[in-house]
């Protein structure tokens, strides 16, 4: 496509006076970096989002302190001469900052990805906690089913990561990602149900952490096309998997292929693009697309010029495909509902080649197709 001017200080690449102002401000802040750390500038939007979230006051207070760099991380304790080292006590590799503790420490990655949010922490793109929080919240948005519940869960996860980290440091044991996810999910569910009951909403809360856990067939005459990507940050190679099924859950086709991508998000968007191409090549006219990457789906459904500028060309390509279908939609689903596509993505990485399955799935996929609770044709072993 033709070149496009991009202002890299704004995620959508468009210059605004506001982003220019903030950039100048941050440059000046670095220049005068001998100022005390308590004067960290946090965007006012971030404060608004944070105070509005539906979580107990103790969690809001914790996040406020984390954003003000006022929690007892080893980085802060070392600066105040209360600790012998600024290194993270759990991984011993990096300075323990709020960002490291909540987002970047290796054990925490498992928590975010294993949680019902299936959030991939893109280490390269994380600058500060407030920017990450703002981006994550704006990706969740309000149109997302139960967006408020998901935002609450993000905050509950932060709080329980902190609690688990403190327990691990005090009791000198290893932190447990599984327990952290469980405790945060339970606490979020309990708190939100209680709030709803108090507001007089008697019906039980079905949402947040349980729905969309399993794959479901589309309505006739739609076919459902699931896509997923498996990205390797070192080689930058990405395995892409696609599975097409009909309203009876019958396997119609599958494809796995290899590509290259600079980031996990780019990999997921490439998978979406390949999904469109696959459906178009097959001549499908009524398609329900599903991906487990929230940001990719949000970008495709929203104003693409407001998405990340790095993925604009891919999104623009996807849009070109979408107008050709008679009916199509993009939906975000949980990772557990996308296992078939995930399997083919891993297969592409493993076999290092592109493959297409018409009618009959690879034998290794049969188990997942059956697990989705649906009939499956005999396999070509
Ligand atoms: Zn660490």
């Amino acid at each position: 496509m033709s070149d496009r001017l991009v202002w890299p200080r704004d995620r959508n690449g468009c210059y605004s006076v506001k982003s220019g102002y903030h950039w100048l401000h941050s440059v000046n802040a670095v220049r005068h970096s001998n100022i005390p750390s308590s004067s960290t500038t946090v965007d006012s939007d971030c404060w608004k989002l944070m105070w509005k979230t539906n979580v107990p006051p103790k969690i809001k207070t914790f996040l406020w302190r984390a954003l003000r760099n006022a929690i007892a991380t080893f980085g802060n304790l070392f600066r105040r001469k209360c600790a012998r080292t600024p290194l993270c006590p759990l991984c011993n590799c990096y300075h323990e900052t709020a960002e490291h503790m909540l987002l970047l420490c290796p054990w925490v990655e498992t928590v975010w990805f294993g949680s019902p949010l299936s959030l991939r922490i893109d280490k390269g793109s994380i600058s500060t906690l407030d920017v990450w929080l703002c981006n994550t919240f704006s990706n969740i948005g309000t149109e997302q089913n139960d967006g408020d519940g998901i935002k609450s869960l993000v905050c509950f996860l932060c709080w329980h990561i902190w609690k688990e980290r403190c327990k691990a440091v005090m009791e000198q044991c290893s932190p447990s990602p599984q327990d952290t996810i469980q405790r945060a999910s339970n606490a979020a569910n309990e708190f939100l149900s209680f709030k709803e009951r108090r507001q007089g909403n008697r019906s039980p809360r079905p949402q947040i952490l349980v729905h969309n856990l399993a794959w479901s067939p589309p309505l006739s005459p739609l076919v459902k096309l699931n896509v997923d990507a498996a990205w390797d940050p070192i080689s930058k190679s990405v395995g892409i998997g696609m599975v097409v099924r009909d309203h009876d859950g019958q396997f119609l086709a599958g494809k796995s292929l290899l590509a290259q991508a600079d980031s996990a998000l780019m990999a997921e968007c490439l998978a979406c693009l390949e999904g469109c191409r696959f459906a178009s090549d097959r001549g499908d006219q009524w398609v329900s697309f599903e991906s487990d990457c929230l940001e990719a789906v949000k970008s495709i459904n929203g104003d693409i010029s407001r998405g990340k500028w790095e993925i604009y060309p891919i999104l623009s390509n996807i849009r070109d495909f979408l107008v050709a279908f008679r009916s199509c939609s993009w939906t975000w689903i949980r990772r557990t509902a996308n296992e078939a596509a995930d399997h083919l993505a891993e297969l592409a990485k493993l076999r290092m080649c592109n493959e297409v399955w018409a009618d009959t799935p690879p034998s290794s996929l049969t188990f997942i197709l059956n697990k989705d609770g649906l009939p499956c044709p005999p396999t070509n072993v």
Side-chain angles (χ1 to χ4, degrees):
M1 60 191 307
S2 52
D3 285 349
R4 171 172 175 257
L5 265 183
V6 156
W7 165 248
R9 304 288 158 192
D10 210 332
R11 66 192 302 279
N12 61 18
C14 302
Y15 178 79
S16 66
V17 175
K18 185 178 168 190
S19 66
Y21 170 82
H22 283 298
W23 174 69
L24 264 183
H25 211 68
S26 64
V27 170
N28 281 336
V30 172
R31 242 178 248 155
H32 305 114
S33 57
N34 53 352
I35 49 172
S37 65
S38 58
S39 55
T40 324
T41 41
V42 174
D43 198 89
S44 64
D45 288 348
C46 184
W47 291 129
K48 275 185 219 152
L49 284 172
M50 201 271 285
W51 293 121
K52 258 197 338 208
T53 318
N54 204 2
V55 288
K58 70 171 179 189
I59 295 183
K60 286 185 187 173
T61 312
F62 164 72
L63 284 173
W64 168 64
R65 289 175 52 213
L67 290 167
R68 301 293 300 193
N69 193 23
I71 43 174
T73 56
F74 270 60
N76 281 341
L77 291 174
F78 179 75
R79 208 161 37 82
R80 288 163 191 271
K81 303 190 170 39
C82 300
R84 266 182 284 175
T85 166
L87 290 185
C88 167
L90 299 182
C91 67
N92 265 316
C93 289
Y94 302 96
H95 281 215
E96 197 194 32
T97 58
E99 288 78 19
H100 177 82
M101 190 191 69
L102 294 174
L103 306 171
L104 300 171
C105 198
W107 81 275
V108 168
E109 227 176 321
T110 325
V111 174
W112 289 108
F113 191 59
S115 77
L117 307 172
S118 303
L119 265 183
R120 284 191 176 88
I121 300 290
D122 183 3
K123 292 191 174 181
S125 73
I126 289 172
S127 51
T128 57
L129 184 61
D130 59 306
V131 173
W132 178 82
L133 208 61
C134 273
N135 285 344
T136 308
F137 276 18
S138 66
N139 285 337
I140 293 165
T142 45
E143 66 257 49
Q144 181 68 43
N145 251 351
D146 199 24
D148 285 343
I150 296 175
K151 285 177 195 164
S152 301
L153 182 60
V154 170
C155 300
F156 270 95
L157 278 166
C158 287
W159 167 253
H160 282 275
I161 286 171
W162 163 244
K163 297 289 280 181
E164 184 71 8
R165 174 263 180 210
C166 291
K167 183 172 160 242
V169 173
M170 297 300 169
E171 297 176 10
Q172 303 201 331
C173 56
S174 304
S176 160
Q178 194 59 42
D179 289 355
T180 311
I181 296 168
Q182 197 63 47
R183 271 197 289 271
S185 308
N186 289 349
N189 267 335
E190 197 178 312
F191 177 77
L192 293 170
S193 316
F194 172 73
K195 280 281 266 217
E196 282 193 355
R197 271 206 306 278
R198 226 174 47 169
Q199 284 160 3
N201 188 353
R202 296 256 154 229
S203 57
R205 202 192 144 72
Q207 303 255 5
I208 166 169
L209 317 171
V210 280
H211 76 151
N212 285 0
L213 278 177
W215 185 85
S216 64
L219 292 172
S220 173
L222 289 166
V223 295
K224 185 170 275 187
L225 196 153
N226 288 74
V227 298
D228 203 4
W231 182 64
D232 180 1
I234 296 162
S235 66
K236 308 277 181 206
S237 72
V238 45
I240 293 174
M242 291 162 257
V243 178
V244 190
R245 281 169 281 186
D246 68 6
H247 60 277
D248 284 328
Q250 290 286 353
F251 176 91
L252 297 179
K255 185 174 179 182
S256 68
L257 58 97
L258 279 171
Q260 289 280 314
D262 289 334
S263 67
L265 176 63
M266 189 177 278
E268 294 285 357
C269 289
L270 273 179
C272 296
L273 174 61
E274 290 303 329
C276 291
R277 201 189 308 276
F278 191 40
S280 165
D281 289 349
R282 282 175 34 84
D284 293 324
Q285 286 293 310
W286 309 75
V287 194
S288 161
F289 292 98
E290 286 185 342
S291 155
D292 58 21
C293 177
L294 187 59
E295 183 159 6
V297 171
K298 175 111 172 115
S299 300
I300 294 169
N301 288 335
D303 176 358
I304 62 168
S305 65
R306 293 174 68 92
K308 267 200 172 158
W309 60 266
E310 293 99 320
I311 53 168
Y312 179 84
I314 304 174
L315 294 176
S316 162
N317 253 321
I318 292 175
R319 279 291 173 82
D320 291 345
F321 271 108
L322 294 186
V323 289
F325 295 109
R326 287 178 71 182
S327 165
C328 66
S329 64
W330 273 96
T331 313
W332 172 72
I333 43 153
R334 306 224 182 270
R335 204 160 34 92
T336 47
N338 207 26
E339 281 183 15
D342 176 59
H343 177 76
L344 293 192
E346 290 294 345
L347 216 58
K349 262 174 67 184
L350 207 66
R351 296 187 179 172
M352 300 294 285
C353 65
N354 301 345
E355 276 175 274
V356 180
W357 296 271
D359 308 326
T360 320
S363 54
S364 56
L365 185 65
T366 320
F367 171 72
I368 297 170
L369 293 174
N370 283 334
K371 195 158 79 63
D372 283 344
L374 299 155
C376 179
T379 60
N380 56 344
V381 184

